[in-house]
Amino acid sequence: MTPQQEKHLRSIKKDFSTLVDSKYRRGQEEHGGDLFNKPLLDLVDNSIDEAIDQVVYLLTLRNK
């Protein structure tokens, strides 16, 4: 990879690390409990809800 690509990747990894830390902590405050101990069906349902939210946001962005 080029130095520019390496720099871009480092930036993405840094941003992701910050974002995932913040999102995980907000989720803990909002929902409590241990994510890794939640029933599988709850994890599936929550994942579907998140996927739907993502599509809504993306379609809204596209329409702007």
Side-chain angles (χ1 to χ4, degrees):
M1 289 197 346
T2 68
Q4 189 175 20
Q5 291 168 330
E6 292 288 352
K7 181 179 177 184
H8 184 233
L9 177 56
R10 279 192 305 275
S11 175
I12 290 169
K13 288 165 60 175
K14 180 182 172 205
D15 289 347
F16 180 78
S17 179
T18 300
L19 292 168
V20 73
D21 186 272
S22 177
K23 175 72 169 150
Y24 190 97
R25 292 174 190 281
R26 282 194 319 269
Q28 282 303 119
E29 287 177 18
E30 184 179 338
H31 303 288
D34 293 324
L35 180 61
F36 45 84
N37 285 331
K38 293 206 180 284
L40 292 179
L41 188 55
D42 288 354
L43 291 174
V44 170
D45 289 343
N46 290 337
S47 296
I48 290 169
D49 288 343
E50 292 292 333
I52 291 168
D53 285 348
Q54 183 180 23
V55 171
V56 169
Y57 296 144
L58 289 169
L59 290 172
T60 301
L61 281 169
R62 178 196 280 169
N63 290 328
K64 285 188 168 214

